[in-house]
Amino acid sequence: MADIEKILAEDALFIEKELDRRLSPELLGNGIMADAMRYATLGGGKRIRAFLTIEFCRMFGGKPADAASYASAVEMVHAYSLIHDDMPCMDNDDMRRGKPSCHVAYGENIALLAGDTLLTYAFENAVLDYSSTDRINRYAVYEIAHGAGAVGMCGGQELDLRLDCSGYEELKNIHNLKTGALIRTAALLGYYAAVPSPDSYIRDKISAYSAAVGLAFQIIDDLLDVRSADEILGKPVGSDARNGKKTVLAFMSEEEAEAEALRLSEYAAEIFRDMPRSEVICQLPMYLYGRKK
């Protein structure tokens, strides 16, 4: 069995160095906005999306360096989304990863610009992957835009803001867009970084894996929001209830939610079981199911 915590730490260190270089003052300057971009992106987070990009690339025969530009792009998109999510007009969270949210540290105007710039800079970084063909880079840019846009993360966020979710199936759709779409993007980019021509069968398997992992991840997030502590989670617990958000606990008990997360995680863990070099990808869902923050 692979030591997934060690691999997670190694991949996180690899992508942290990549992000530090790509967000350096030499490339972005020393302005306040660039500083806010670095503040929101560097030095924290689980880096699960970058991990998926790197490890899917490995599973299909590539190396971490092959996936560096795509993994960096995904983390920039994720960082932008967190900046905007935390702002008063959205989730109104003052803490992120154990420190003041970007808008608290830099003001709402600079935080807004930092998020916008991280999103656009993600596309710039994606097309800098000279190890991939122009055709594969086009696939990658499409997936980033699709996963982050109106039928992906932003579409899910918009549905989430309505606060009128009427049942678990509707909530699943929100989470599949808000969380699962970018996880799917991360995994697909890793696959694209390793192969000359993507296959629809593999894409479908990646979509199924990502949907299950993303939904289980969000269910565990909902549970941690009522079970954890501020110092463990790195942000105030109970924020969903204070903001009037519907979580999975509006439709099932904590025990039922935990069972649903387990079912989804076990399902995801089996999807790539028959493929070579799949051990890490197969272990990840159960690792995430057991996380404490």
Side-chain angles (χ1 to χ4, degrees):
M1 180 175 289
D3 186 342
I4 194 161
E5 286 200 352
K6 179 174 180 288
I7 297 168
L8 274 162
E10 289 172 349
D11 287 356
L13 180 60
F14 172 81
I15 203 61
E16 189 76 16
K17 290 178 178 177
E18 284 290 326
L19 289 167
D20 186 53
R21 179 176 64 82
R22 293 162 191 263
L23 293 168
S24 67
E26 289 75 19
L27 293 176
L28 295 183
N30 286 302
I32 296 174
M33 183 184 71
D35 194 43
M37 291 166 67
R38 289 188 284 268
Y39 176 87
T41 309
L42 301 174
K46 293 177 280 292
R47 305 296 187 203
I48 295 299
R49 289 153 190 84
F51 173 87
L52 283 166
T53 304
I54 292 166
E55 294 306 321
F56 266 95
C57 181
R58 271 199 180 113
M59 187 170 78
F60 288 98
K63 304 181 297 295
D66 299 329
S69 290
Y70 294 166
S72 298
V74 170
E75 285 295 329
M76 290 175 192
V77 173
H78 182 51
Y80 124 77
S81 76
L82 297 182
I83 292 174
H84 285 193
D85 277 359
D86 287 340
M87 293 181 73
C89 62
M90 301 287 277
D91 289 349
N92 195 26
D93 281 326
D94 289 344
M95 296 294 292
R96 171 67 64 179
R97 296 171 175 170
K99 62 184 184 180
S101 300
C102 191
H103 71 275
V104 175
Y106 289 90
E108 290 181 39
N109 51 359
I110 295 298
L112 183 68
L113 288 172
D116 291 344
T117 308
L118 278 166
L119 175 60
T120 54
Y121 196 45
F123 288 99
E124 182 177 335
N125 275 267
V127 297
L128 289 176
D129 196 327
Y130 299 121
S131 63
S132 294
T133 65
D134 288 346
R135 177 170 176 263
I136 291 296
N137 279 339
R138 287 198 299 273
Y139 275 122
V141 167
Y142 169 80
E143 293 298 348
I144 294 170
H146 187 77
V151 292
M153 183 179 66
C154 285
Q157 183 69 57
E158 189 267 332
L159 292 174
D160 197 31
L161 287 171
R162 292 182 188 177
L163 305 176
D164 60 357
C165 180
S166 59
Y168 179 52
E169 289 302 313
E170 191 174 348
L171 185 68
K172 279 170 61 176
N173 181 52
I174 292 171
H175 290 332
N176 285 337
L177 296 174
K178 185 180 175 184
T179 304
L182 197 59
I183 287 176
R184 176 181 178 271
T185 295
L188 281 171
L189 292 185
Y191 173 49
Y192 293 164
V195 299
S197 183
D199 176 84
S200 60
Y201 172 72
I202 297 297
R203 284 169 51 89
D204 288 346
K205 285 170 77 77
I206 289 174
S207 294
Y209 176 91
S210 302
V213 168
L215 183 53
F217 190 94
Q218 190 59 57
I219 291 172
I220 295 299
D221 258 10
D222 290 349
L223 287 169
L224 290 174
D225 193 57
V226 299
R227 289 177 172 179
S228 191
D230 294 6
E231 61 271 17
I232 296 173
L233 210 54
K235 61 180 181 177
V237 298
S239 60
D240 290 334
R242 287 192 297 275
N243 291 327
K245 280 192 172 184
K246 288 281 182 69
T247 73
V248 70
L249 299 178
F251 309 112
M252 60 183 74
S253 68
E254 288 186 32
E255 292 74 20
E256 289 169 332
E258 191 158 350
E260 175 71 347
L262 177 60
R263 181 189 69 79
L264 290 162
S265 300
E266 289 177 337
Y267 166 72
E270 293 300 318
I271 290 175
F272 290 101
R273 189 73 69 186
D274 60 342
M275 297 194 65
R277 300 183 296 271
S278 65
E279 187 177 20
V280 173
I281 290 299
C282 292
Q283 281 182 232
L284 180 67
M286 294 307 301
Y287 174 83
L288 294 177
Y289 166 76
R291 68 193 172 94
K292 302 302 179 188
K293 63 179 181 178

